[in-house]
Amino acid sequence: MTPTFIASQLWLDFVNTEMGAEDERTDLLESVEALRTWMSLASTVHEGIDAPRRDYTKEVLDEALRLRSTLRRIASAAVGGRRVAAGAVEEVNAALRRGLSFPQIVPTEAGLAMRNVPAGDDHLRPLQPLARSVGEFLVQGDASRIRQCQAARCVLFFYDTTKNHGRRFCNPETCGSRTRAARYYGRQTGR
């Protein structure tokens, strides 16, 4: 199954790597290679990811799946109008700490430039952009605009960027069309 980037937020697109019906979910991150591929695709859609240059291991995948579970809890809390649990915030903070860096002057083709250099060699650093994405959202975002698709059996989340805040489906062409077709069929058959 091909990843979709429909959520308008990196962290929600990552949550959406587990898709499908409640009882029949499909996990797009079943392997280290699948995580590498997703991060590479995400880097073309979202800023701040340098996934193609990162090393991925089974430990990074396991941590990614734990982080995704935390991000799903945060999204569910937002949809339900609940406050984000302190434990979830601490898990995001732990992922953010993996991205510690410091400024350094480095040579470039044009001369010298100031760049942030990673502090230490933390192999879990590839997940830091995901943590930064949700961290920035928790501090500056509007939780009332997080939605879960209203199509039957869809579990995907998205950030409603429409002017009237009326988006109801993760993808109007798929879930929206199916829902409208099912309603039409129900009216025609009297169900």
Side-chain angles (χ1 to χ4, degrees):
M1 189 170 251
T2 305
T4 59
F5 296 92
I6 48 114
S8 300
Q9 292 275 324
L10 172 62
W11 69 279
L12 287 174
D13 279 330
F14 189 67
V15 169
N16 291 342
T17 59
E18 188 176 43
M19 24 182 16
E22 297 274 344
D23 55 342
E24 297 175 12
R25 292 207 179 167
T26 300
D27 191 345
L28 300 180
L29 303 179
E30 293 183 326
S31 67
V32 171
E33 185 56 38
L35 176 62
R36 181 182 295 113
T37 299
W38 188 88
M39 293 294 280
S40 180
L41 290 170
S43 72
T44 65
V45 176
H46 297 283
E47 294 179 20
I49 300 178
D50 58 352
R53 296 185 298 266
R54 299 291 190 180
D55 293 323
Y56 292 87
T57 63
K58 175 73 167 104
E59 187 177 359
V60 173
L61 175 62
D62 291 343
E63 185 63 25
L65 297 178
R66 278 191 290 279
L67 181 60
R68 181 178 66 186
S69 177
T70 298
L71 300 182
R72 182 174 292 283
R73 289 194 320 267
I74 291 170
S76 293
V79 167
R82 298 182 311 275
R83 176 172 263 208
V84 175
V89 171
E90 181 46 43
E91 289 177 46
V92 171
N93 279 335
L96 285 168
R97 284 190 291 273
R98 292 184 185 106
L100 292 177
S101 61
F102 53 91
Q104 287 285 279
I105 299 168
V106 296
T108 67
E109 290 179 15
L112 296 174
M114 188 76 77
R115 298 263 166 74
N116 282 333
V117 176
D121 185 28
D122 187 348
H123 61 286
L124 295 176
R125 192 172 289 115
L127 303 178
Q128 204 272 333
L130 299 167
R132 187 174 53 244
S133 173
V134 71
E136 289 170 356
F137 173 79
L138 290 172
V139 172
Q140 302 168 352
D142 182 355
S144 70
R145 298 182 87 177
I146 298 285
R147 306 272 194 276
Q148 189 165 15
C149 184
Q150 292 182 6
R153 303 174 50 84
C154 184
V155 297
L156 300 185
F157 292 92
F158 58 91
Y159 188 73
D160 185 357
T161 59
T162 61
K163 195 172 188 176
N164 67 355
H165 310 291
R167 183 173 165 193
R168 296 178 35 209
F169 302 104
C170 65
N171 187 328
E173 288 79 37
T174 55
C175 284
S177 291
R178 276 185 241 147
T179 300
R180 286 187 291 279
R183 286 183 189 147
Y184 177 78
Y185 178 77
R187 285 192 306 271
Q188 296 304 312
T189 60
R191 291 184 183 169

